[in-house]
């Protein structure tokens, strides 16, 4: 590829690629962010030891929408909650939070960078929320943060809208834009086409392209490396592949692929076997057929999540029949 | 691509692609082929109902090497064992068996096609066994079978040897050659390069390219569709992704991708939930970190299989430390 980036081959690596661990943020969608401090601290320490670039701790959710009585502390990521875990975060690991469009009182709840241990605000929106999201990007940038824009449910956005959104993002203060495969429906051919389209739009302005993949079709890791091969430089992963529904790209796979000597595998394995392998016995995430079916149909996984939480989570035929009724 | 094949896009499909179910053959490596008749019959009936092209039932293993007292009937696939399940196989599903180089008394144990319900012999070999494998190919073709050649452990073969092997295969009676990622170590870039190299060598002679992928790095399905996109037309899959170690490409994913209306999803789901989801609770296969680590190091998975069968199958750190000692 002749895009000016040094792309890696079998015996090199790309120092421009940054890994973000979204374990506590995306995993928190399974349990309304009720992870206890020990859990979050163990993940934090593992990320620091492994040389991961960013850790996304949770959301800046509006307490009027998400009451603290029903949601754990990582739904709001108040400064004192964060500091209980990280102190002043005197490490190389940067901290991130997600700010959802229409679910965040961003002007009030996001303090100035000088008053926060947070480094990166990731603004997440659907295509129709782009105008609001751009104001959130500006607000966060003005306050002194690094900012990224996550365009969710990309697989439902038509090309004309996408090109307009990318143009707006290019002219914004966001440092980059993410391909977010919310439904886990995208195939490698599509990931290639999206990555090229995103880079063509934003790269000349010095912005990066990232990817957040879901594992509905066992493609989270595959699509992540496909995006990397095409020039993406920001990738998301989680311990044990934890995440809502079918989960995310597993951290041990992406670090193994990247071959950047700054990344250490052992702390990842240690944390995974200590916390996530046992947790997977009582918390439902990861590949299963209902998620594959919604992914194949380019549908939100919520019906599969509901089905998996029901009385017969492995009655795939019943779920298939239900889906066929819904789409016909 | 301008190779003369009609490649599919989002709203078409490729009728040239044939799916082979190797559930009983590759899954049998976990339990020495001790699946009972009901199990094999249920898989057979599901394949017939789903419109799968081929079912590989097992090996033609030499009884001098694999005694019937220690191995189930699908290690040998005697004609009477097969007929107990399929009768005269008066269906559209073709039957396949695998014949391993140096582990098959092929002249004696493979009858003439006119005396067998088997349709396809898949000859499997390592690179140094190519001369023997070519004799096995000729023997099977002379007896009247369709024949395919499986080049195992491809990731350890150097390019010069590979090109010679492909030249020999091109001049043989094999109908095609398979990319076999025995170690689950190949990335999509490599799959693309191999598929193109295989096609360049064999396609002009009217032969096909196939793929048999393993899931060590959660890439079995991803690599299978990558090979398809590059022009491969023979793919392997299994129910529930069953198979030795990390297992194979799951059948529900590949059928969902192919969009050929002759394939039916419901019988696959029915069989998977009836047999394979319960079986996965007592039989160990599928992705886990030890398999990921051997895949990343391009090593045979046997050390990971042994470790998973030991006292602490989820002590990833201990396994990692052991591997690091072995490779240093």
């Amino acid at each position: 590829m002749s895009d000016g980036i040094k792309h890696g081959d079998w015996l090199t690596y790309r120092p421009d690629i940054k890994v973000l661990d979204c374990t506590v943020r995306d995993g928190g969608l399974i349990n309304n962010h009720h992870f206890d401090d020990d859990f979050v601290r163990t993940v934090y320490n593992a990320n620091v030891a492994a040389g991961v670039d960013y850790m996304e701790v949770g959301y800046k959710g509006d307490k009027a929408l998400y009451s603290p009585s029903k949601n754990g502390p990582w739904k709001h990521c108040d400064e004192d909650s964060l500091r209980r875990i990280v102190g002043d975060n005197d490490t190389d690991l940067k901290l991130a939070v997600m700010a959802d469009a229409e679910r965040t009182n961003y002007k009030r709840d996001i303090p100035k960078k000088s008053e926060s241990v947070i480094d990166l605000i990731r603004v997440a929106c659907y295509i129709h929320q782009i105008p609001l999201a751009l104001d959130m990007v500006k607000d966060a940038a003005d306050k002194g943060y690094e900012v990224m824009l996550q365009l969710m449910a990309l697989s439902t956005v038509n090309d004309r809208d996408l090109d307009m959104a990318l143009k707006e993002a290019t002219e914004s203060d966001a440092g980059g834009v993410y391909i977010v495969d919310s439904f886990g429906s995208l195939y490698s051919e599509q990931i290639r086409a999206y990555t090229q389209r995103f880079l063509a739009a934003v790269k000349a302005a010095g912005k990066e392209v990232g990817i957040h993949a879901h594992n509905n079709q066992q493609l989270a890791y595959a699509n992540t490396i496909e995006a990397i091969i095409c020039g993406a430089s920001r990738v998301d992963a989680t311990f044990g592949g934890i995440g809502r529904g079918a989960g995310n790209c597993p951290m041990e796979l992406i670090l193994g692929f990247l071959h950047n000597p700054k990344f250490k595998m052992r702390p990842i394995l240690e944390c995974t076997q200590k916390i996530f392998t046992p947790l997977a016995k009582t918390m439902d995430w990861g590949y299963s057929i209902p998620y594959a079916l919604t992914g194949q149909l380019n549908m939100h996984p919520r019906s599969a999540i509901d089905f998996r939480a029901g009385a017969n989570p492995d009655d795939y035929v019943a779920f298939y029949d239900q889906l066929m009724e819904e789409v016909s």
Side-chain angles (χ1 to χ4, degrees), chain A:
Chain A
M1 300 178 71
S2 55
D3 54 9
I5 289 182
K6 158 120 186 65
H7 290 283
D9 55 33
W10 313 127
L11 297 180
T12 62
Y13 67 92
R14 273 176 52 194
D16 61 310
I17 295 172
K18 302 281 189 296
V19 175
L20 181 145
D21 165 47
C22 55
T23 296
V24 179
R25 199 271 307 163
D26 205 317
L29 293 171
I30 308 173
N31 70 351
N32 292 330
H33 311 277
H34 282 295
F35 293 122
D36 66 27
D37 283 7
D38 269 355
F39 177 98
V40 181
R41 194 174 289 114
T42 304
V43 173
Y44 171 78
N45 289 335
N47 278 319
V48 170
V52 171
D53 299 287
Y54 293 84
M55 173 173 168
E56 189 172 62
V57 188
Y59 288 91
K60 273 287 182 187
D62 186 347
K63 286 176 187 167
L65 293 172
Y66 304 102
S67 80
S69 65
K70 289 187 185 157
N71 293 275
W74 318 111
K75 191 70 181 180
H76 313 104
C77 288
D78 290 338
E79 204 62 22
D80 60 344
S81 303
L82 294 172
R83 287 181 190 272
R84 278 206 314 275
I85 309 297
V86 309
D88 292 333
N89 186 34
D90 187 18
T91 72
D92 290 334
L93 176 70
K94 293 183 179 171
L95 296 184
V97 294
M98 185 161 277
D100 256 342
E102 299 187 66
R103 297 174 188 173
T104 312
N105 191 332
Y106 54 101
K107 295 199 178 175
R108 182 191 69 194
D109 291 342
I110 298 180
K112 286 185 190 162
K113 167 68 194 116
S114 57
E115 297 162 14
S116 176
V117 288
I118 298 168
D119 300 284
L120 165 66
I121 307 284
R122 299 214 299 175
V123 174
C125 70
Y126 293 106
I127 186 74
H128 67 280
Q129 298 167 324
I130 282 282
L132 170 58
L134 291 170
D135 192 59
M136 297 171 72
V137 167
K138 182 172 187 325
D139 177 78
D142 287 348
K143 286 171 178 165
Y145 294 97
E146 182 187 5
V147 193
M148 290 282 166
L149 183 63
Q150 318 286 115
L151 183 52
M152 298 189 289
L154 181 60
S155 58
T156 66
V157 177
N158 71 48
D159 286 348
R160 188 160 171 272
D161 291 351
L162 175 58
D163 286 341
M164 288 192 292
L166 290 173
K167 181 167 179 297
E168 295 298 328
T170 302
E171 294 165 4
S172 79
D173 294 317
V177 192
Y178 276 68
I179 295 164
V180 183
D181 182 15
S182 303
F183 301 169
S185 68
L186 297 176
Y187 297 109
S188 57
E189 291 175 291
Q190 294 166 290
I191 294 292
R192 280 199 283 279
Y194 276 126
T195 307
Q196 287 158 3
R197 192 179 201 109
F198 275 53
L199 279 169
V202 309
K203 195 161 172 223
K207 298 183 192 304
E208 293 182 78
V209 171
I211 179 158
H212 178 84
H214 279 281
N215 211 31
N216 296 59
Q217 299 189 77
Q218 298 192 2
L219 293 175
Y221 169 58
N223 284 344
T224 300
I225 64 178
E226 201 59 46
I228 288 172
I229 289 165
C230 294
S233 53
R234 296 276 183 149
V235 300
D236 286 9
T238 63
F239 286 80
I242 196 173
R244 180 162 62 173
N248 296 103
C249 172
M251 185 66 80
E252 70 275 7
L253 290 177
I254 193 66
L255 293 193
F257 177 78
L258 289 175
H259 286 104
N260 186 334
K262 82 171 179 174
F263 295 129
K264 307 298 177 200
M265 185 68 85
R266 211 170 180 281
I268 302 295
L269 302 182
E270 201 164 12
C271 179
T272 304
Q273 75 183 59
K274 181 178 172 187
I275 295 189
F276 293 92
T277 301
L279 189 62
K281 295 186 189 358
T282 57
M283 196 181 266
D284 190 49
W285 79 82
Y287 177 77
S288 71
I289 285 179
Y291 299 129
L293 295 174
T294 58
Q296 287 174 351
L297 291 167
N298 193 19
M299 293 169 70
H300 193 286
R302 73 172 65 81
S303 60
I305 292 170
D306 290 346
F307 194 85
R308 292 287 300 169
N312 298 299
D314 295 324
D315 189 348
Y316 313 134
V317 172
F319 183 69
Y320 179 75
D321 289 346
Q322 172 191 319
L323 274 189
M324 290 301 107
E325 282 297 313
E326 283 175 24
V327 298
S328 65

